[in-house]
Amino acid sequence: MPELPEVETVRRGLAPVLEGESFVSVEQRRPNLRFPFPERFVERLTGARIEALGRRAKYLQADLSTGEVLVMHLGMSGSFRIEGDVAGAFHHPRGKHASHDHVVFAMSNGATVTYNDPRRFGFMQLIPRRDLGAHPLFRDIGIEPLGNELSGGLLATLFAGKAAPLKAALLDQKLIAGLGNIYVCEALHRTGLAPTRAAGELDAAAADRLAATIRAVLEEAIAAGGSSLRDHVQANGELGYFQHNFDVYDREGEPCRRPGCGGRVARIVQSGRSTFFCPACQR
DNA sequence: ACACGACCCTGTTCGC
DNA sequence: TGCGAACAGGGTCGTG
């Protein structure tokens, strides 16, 4: 699922269940996901308290009482399921892919939090808090699109001199962190910018509009509980519904939703990924 | 700098 | 209905 809005939705679902609670037991059912689990993963977590559950880009970061941070990435197909009689937690039946339940956290409040990931592109790491910023995962990561830094001026600076198309520049996690294929397509359509335009050619006015639109799209998606494609759900089992608001993503051949445009959504491939856009109103 | 393919995996969807 | 191919929200790496 997960681009920034989906990860943020998961964070908000898990935070009330995890923050202030300790790991009573941890079950690690396989040696690796995308990467091997850290050495002594279970031992290093058991008994630790989660002080806060944060997010950086598409990474969840659980601050532990041990001084380490549990970093979790959902990859393409990772999800969490909360079970147990806990305030704020929704009990819902396990999905049909129980064989892909890879990690089970039993918490001090009685909640069970299970990580499921059929494709296993997700991973978990334990990193000392003081080393987090210098860690390869975060060292070169770009700005938070919902943070204060994002502005038209900064976008223009980041994109200056770049011949890469806007689509590729926006997907580059070293520039802006957290945007994925869906929200890049949506933001470009709303801004009326062609995904093929060279990033370095963005003028100041367009950069201002693009920055504001990125923020708006992400905030709207978070407010909607993220986008649910296929069977992806929030931690509480509810479906996000932002996918119904897509203007272009996965709408090849369908009418452009911009009032009065009359164009049709096209699909091209850029950097090996599908780009959906309206050739009539995106210039 | 940038594009592209391969790779890490499995599930779903589509065409024949 | 069955079967294989294509494709999928992420990210890294090597090559040209």
Coordinates of all heavy atoms in Angstrom, one line a residue, chain A residues 185-238:
Chain A
C185 N 1.5 11.3 -9.2 CA 0.6 11.4 -10.3 C -0.6 12.4 -10.0 O -0.9 13.3 -10.8 CB 0.0 10.1 -10.7 SG 1.1 8.9 -11.5
E186 N -1.1 12.2 -8.8 CA -2.3 13.1 -8.4 C -1.9 14.5 -8.2 O -2.6 15.4 -8.7 CB -2.9 12.5 -7.1 CG -3.5 11.1 -7.3 CD -4.7 11.1 -8.3 OE1 -5.5 12.0 -8.2 OE2 -4.7 10.2 -9.1
A187 N -0.7 14.7 -7.6 CA -0.3 16.1 -7.4 C 0.0 16.8 -8.7 O -0.3 18.0 -8.9 CB 0.9 16.1 -6.4
L188 N 0.6 16.1 -9.6 CA 1.0 16.8 -10.9 C -0.3 17.1 -11.7 O -0.4 18.1 -12.3 CB 1.9 15.8 -11.7 CG 3.3 15.8 -11.2 CD1 4.1 14.8 -12.0 CD2 4.0 17.2 -11.4
H189 N -1.3 16.2 -11.6 CA -2.5 16.5 -12.3 C -3.2 17.7 -11.7 O -3.7 18.6 -12.4 CB -3.5 15.2 -12.3 CG -4.8 15.5 -12.9 ND1 -5.9 15.8 -12.2 CD2 -5.1 15.6 -14.2 CE1 -6.9 16.0 -13.1 NE2 -6.5 15.9 -14.3
R190 N -3.3 17.7 -10.4 CA -4.0 18.9 -9.8 C -3.3 20.2 -10.1 O -3.9 21.2 -10.2 CB -4.0 18.7 -8.3 CG -5.1 17.8 -7.8 CD -5.4 18.0 -6.4 NE -6.0 16.9 -5.7 CZ -6.5 16.9 -4.5 NH1 -6.3 18.0 -3.8 NH2 -7.1 15.8 -4.0
T191 N -2.0 20.1 -10.3 CA -1.2 21.3 -10.5 C -1.2 21.7 -12.0 O -0.9 22.8 -12.4 CB 0.2 21.1 -10.0 OG1 0.2 20.5 -8.8 CG2 0.9 22.5 -9.9
G192 N -1.7 20.7 -12.8 CA -1.7 21.0 -14.3 C -0.3 21.0 -14.9 O -0.1 21.6 -15.9
L193 N 0.6 20.2 -14.3 CA 1.9 20.1 -14.9 C 2.1 18.7 -15.5 O 1.8 17.7 -14.9 CB 3.0 20.3 -13.8 CG 3.1 21.7 -13.2 CD1 3.9 21.6 -11.9 CD2 3.7 22.6 -14.2
A194 N 2.7 18.7 -16.7 CA 3.0 17.4 -17.4 C 4.1 16.7 -16.6 O 5.1 17.3 -16.3 CB 3.4 17.7 -18.8
P195 N 4.0 15.4 -16.4 CA 5.0 14.6 -15.7 C 6.3 14.6 -16.4 O 7.3 14.2 -15.8 CB 4.3 13.3 -15.5 CG 3.3 13.2 -16.5 CD 2.8 14.6 -16.7
T196 N 6.2 14.8 -17.7 CA 7.4 14.7 -18.6 C 8.3 16.0 -18.6 O 9.4 16.0 -19.1 CB 7.0 14.4 -20.0 OG1 5.9 15.4 -20.3 CG2 6.5 13.0 -20.1
R197 N 7.7 17.1 -18.0 CA 8.5 18.3 -18.0 C 9.8 18.2 -17.2 O 9.8 17.6 -16.2 CB 7.6 19.4 -17.3 CG 6.6 20.0 -18.2 CD 6.8 21.5 -18.4 NE 7.0 22.3 -17.3 CZ 6.2 23.4 -16.9 NH1 5.1 23.6 -17.6 NH2 6.5 24.1 -15.9
A198 N 10.8 18.8 -17.7 CA 12.1 18.8 -16.9 C 11.9 19.5 -15.6 O 11.4 20.6 -15.5 CB 13.2 19.4 -17.7
A199 N 12.4 18.9 -14.5 CA 12.2 19.4 -13.2 C 12.9 20.8 -13.1 O 12.3 21.7 -12.5 CB 12.7 18.5 -12.1
G200 N 14.0 20.9 -13.7 CA 14.8 22.2 -13.6 C 14.1 23.4 -14.3 O 14.6 24.5 -14.1
E201 N 13.1 23.1 -15.1 CA 12.5 24.2 -15.8 C 11.3 24.8 -15.1 O 10.6 25.7 -15.6 CB 12.1 23.7 -17.2 CG 13.3 23.5 -18.1 CD 12.9 22.8 -19.4 OE1 11.7 22.7 -19.7 OE2 13.8 22.3 -20.1
L202 N 11.0 24.3 -13.9 CA 9.8 24.8 -13.2 C 10.0 26.2 -12.8 O 11.0 26.6 -12.2 CB 9.7 23.9 -11.9 CG 8.3 23.7 -11.3 CD1 7.4 23.1 -12.3 CD2 8.5 22.9 -10.0
D203 N 9.1 27.1 -13.2 CA 9.2 28.5 -12.8 C 8.7 28.7 -11.3 O 8.0 27.8 -10.8 CB 8.5 29.4 -13.8 CG 7.0 29.2 -13.8 OD1 6.4 29.0 -12.8 OD2 6.5 29.3 -14.9
A204 N 8.9 29.8 -10.8 CA 8.6 30.1 -9.4 C 7.1 29.9 -9.1 O 6.7 29.3 -8.1 CB 9.1 31.5 -9.0
A205 N 6.3 30.4 -10.0 CA 4.8 30.3 -9.7 C 4.4 28.9 -9.7 O 3.6 28.4 -8.9 CB 4.1 31.1 -10.8
A206 N 4.9 28.1 -10.7 CA 4.5 26.7 -10.8 C 5.0 25.9 -9.6 O 4.4 25.0 -9.0 CB 5.0 26.1 -12.1
A207 N 6.2 26.3 -9.1 CA 6.8 25.6 -8.0 C 6.0 25.9 -6.7 O 5.7 25.0 -5.9 CB 8.3 26.1 -7.7
D208 N 5.5 27.1 -6.6 CA 4.6 27.4 -5.4 C 3.3 26.6 -5.5 O 2.9 26.0 -4.5 CB 4.2 28.9 -5.5 CG 5.4 29.8 -5.0 OD1 6.2 29.3 -4.2 OD2 5.3 31.0 -5.2
R209 N 2.8 26.5 -6.7 CA 1.5 25.7 -6.8 C 1.7 24.3 -6.5 O 0.9 23.6 -5.8 CB 0.9 25.9 -8.2 CG 0.2 27.3 -8.4 CD -0.5 27.3 -9.8 NE 0.5 27.4 -10.9 CZ 0.5 26.5 -11.9 NH1 -0.3 25.5 -12.0 NH2 1.4 26.7 -12.9
L210 N 2.9 23.8 -7.0 CA 3.1 22.3 -6.8 C 3.4 22.0 -5.4 O 2.8 21.0 -4.8 CB 4.4 21.9 -7.7 CG 4.8 20.5 -7.6 CD1 3.6 19.5 -8.0 CD2 6.0 20.2 -8.5
A211 N 4.1 22.9 -4.7 CA 4.4 22.6 -3.3 C 3.1 22.6 -2.5 O 2.8 21.7 -1.6 CB 5.3 23.7 -2.7
A212 N 2.2 23.6 -2.7 CA 0.9 23.7 -2.0 C 0.1 22.5 -2.3 O -0.6 21.9 -1.5 CB 0.2 25.0 -2.4
T213 N 0.1 22.0 -3.6 CA -0.7 20.9 -4.0 C -0.3 19.6 -3.4 O -1.1 18.8 -3.0 CB -0.8 20.8 -5.5 OG1 -1.2 22.0 -6.1 CG2 -1.7 19.7 -6.0
I214 N 1.0 19.4 -3.3 CA 1.6 18.2 -2.7 C 1.1 18.1 -1.3 O 0.5 17.0 -0.8 CB 3.1 18.2 -2.7 CG1 3.6 18.0 -4.1 CG2 3.7 17.1 -1.8 CD1 5.1 18.2 -4.3
R215 N 1.2 19.2 -0.6 CA 0.7 19.2 0.8 C -0.8 18.9 0.9 O -1.2 18.1 1.7 CB 1.0 20.6 1.4 CG 0.9 20.7 2.9 CD 1.1 22.1 3.4 NE 2.4 22.6 3.1 CZ 3.5 22.4 4.0 NH1 3.3 21.7 5.1 NH2 4.6 22.9 3.7
A216 N -1.6 19.5 0.0 CA -3.0 19.3 0.1 C -3.4 17.9 -0.2 O -4.3 17.3 0.5 CB -3.7 20.3 -0.9
V217 N -2.8 17.3 -1.2 CA -3.1 15.9 -1.6 C -2.8 15.0 -0.4 O -3.6 14.1 -0.1 CB -2.4 15.5 -2.9 CG1 -2.5 14.0 -3.1 CG2 -2.9 16.3 -4.1
L218 N -1.6 15.2 0.1 CA -1.2 14.3 1.2 C -2.2 14.4 2.4 O -2.6 13.5 3.1 CB 0.2 14.5 1.7 CG 1.3 14.2 0.6 CD1 2.6 14.6 1.1 CD2 1.2 12.8 0.2
E219 N -2.5 15.7 2.8 CA -3.4 15.9 3.9 C -4.8 15.4 3.7 O -5.4 14.8 4.6 CB -3.4 17.4 4.2 CG -2.1 17.9 4.9 CD -2.1 19.4 5.2 OE1 -2.9 20.1 4.7 OE2 -1.1 19.8 5.9
E220 N -5.3 15.5 2.5 CA -6.6 15.0 2.2 C -6.6 13.4 2.3 O -7.5 12.8 2.7 CB -7.0 15.4 0.8 CG -7.5 16.8 0.7 CD -7.8 17.2 -0.8 OE1 -8.3 16.4 -1.5 OE2 -7.5 18.4 -1.1
A221 N -5.5 12.9 1.8 CA -5.4 11.4 1.8 C -5.3 10.9 3.2 O -5.9 9.9 3.6 CB -4.2 10.9 1.0
I222 N -4.6 11.6 4.1 CA -4.5 11.2 5.4 C -5.9 11.3 6.1 O -6.3 10.4 6.9 CB -3.4 12.0 6.2 CG1 -2.0 11.6 5.7 CG2 -3.5 11.7 7.7 CD1 -0.9 12.5 6.2
A223 N -6.5 12.4 5.8 CA -7.9 12.6 6.4 C -8.8 11.5 6.0 O -9.8 11.2 6.7 CB -8.4 14.0 6.0
A224 N -8.6 11.0 4.8 CA -9.5 9.9 4.3 C -9.0 8.5 4.8 O -9.6 7.5 4.4 CB -9.5 9.9 2.8
G225 N -8.0 8.5 5.6 CA -7.5 7.2 6.1 C -6.6 6.5 5.0 O -6.5 5.2 5.1
G226 N -6.1 7.2 4.1 CA -5.2 6.6 3.1 C -6.0 6.0 2.0 O -7.2 6.2 1.9
S227 N -5.3 5.4 1.1 CA -5.9 4.7 -0.1 C -5.9 3.2 0.1 O -4.8 2.7 0.4 CB -5.2 5.1 -1.4 OG -5.2 6.5 -1.5
S228 N -7.0 2.6 -0.2 CA -7.0 1.1 -0.1 C -7.0 0.5 -1.4 O -8.1 0.5 -2.1 CB -8.2 0.7 0.7 OG -8.2 1.3 2.0
L229 N -5.9 0.0 -1.9 CA -5.9 -0.7 -3.1 C -5.8 -2.2 -2.8 O -5.2 -2.6 -1.8 CB -4.7 -0.3 -3.9 CG -4.7 1.1 -4.4 CD1 -3.3 1.6 -4.8 CD2 -5.7 1.3 -5.4
R230 N -6.5 -3.0 -3.6 CA -6.6 -4.4 -3.2 C -7.1 -4.6 -1.8 O -8.1 -3.9 -1.4 CB -5.3 -5.1 -3.5 CG -4.8 -4.9 -4.9 CD -3.8 -5.8 -5.4 NE -3.6 -5.6 -6.8 CZ -2.9 -4.6 -7.3 NH1 -2.2 -3.8 -6.5 NH2 -2.8 -4.5 -8.6
D231 N -6.5 -5.3 -1.0 CA -7.0 -5.6 0.3 C -6.4 -4.9 1.5 O -6.4 -5.3 2.6 CB -7.0 -7.2 0.6 CG -5.5 -7.7 0.6 OD1 -4.6 -6.9 0.1 OD2 -5.3 -8.8 1.0
H232 N -5.7 -3.8 1.1 CA -5.0 -3.1 2.2 C -5.9 -2.4 3.1 O -6.8 -1.8 2.7 CB -3.9 -2.2 1.6 CG -2.8 -2.9 1.1 ND1 -1.9 -3.6 1.9 CD2 -2.3 -3.1 -0.1 CE1 -1.0 -4.1 1.2 NE2 -1.2 -3.8 -0.1
V233 N -5.6 -2.5 4.4 CA -6.5 -1.9 5.4 C -5.6 -1.2 6.4 O -4.4 -1.4 6.5 CB -7.3 -3.0 6.1 CG1 -8.3 -3.6 5.2 CG2 -6.4 -4.0 6.8
Q234 N -6.3 -0.3 7.2 CA -5.6 0.3 8.3 C -5.4 -0.7 9.4 O -5.9 -1.8 9.4 CB -6.5 1.5 8.8 CG -6.9 2.5 7.8 CD -7.8 3.5 8.3 OE1 -7.7 3.9 9.5 NE2 -8.8 4.0 7.5
A235 N -4.6 -0.3 10.4 CA -4.4 -1.2 11.5 C -5.6 -1.6 12.2 O -5.7 -2.7 12.7 CB -3.4 -0.5 12.5
N236 N -6.7 -0.8 12.1 CA -7.9 -1.2 12.8 C -8.8 -2.0 11.9 O -10.0 -2.3 12.3 CB -8.6 0.1 13.4 CG -9.1 1.0 12.3 OD1 -9.0 0.6 11.1 ND2 -9.6 2.1 12.6
G237 N -8.4 -2.3 10.7 CA -9.2 -3.1 9.9 C -10.1 -2.4 8.9 O -10.7 -2.9 8.1
E238 N -10.2 -1.0 9.1 CA -11.1 -0.3 8.3 C -10.3 0.1 7.0 O -9.1 0.2 6.9 CB -11.5 1.0 9.0 CG -12.4 0.7 10.2 CD -12.7 2.0 11.0 OE1 -12.0 3.0 10.7 OE2 -13.5 1.9 11.8

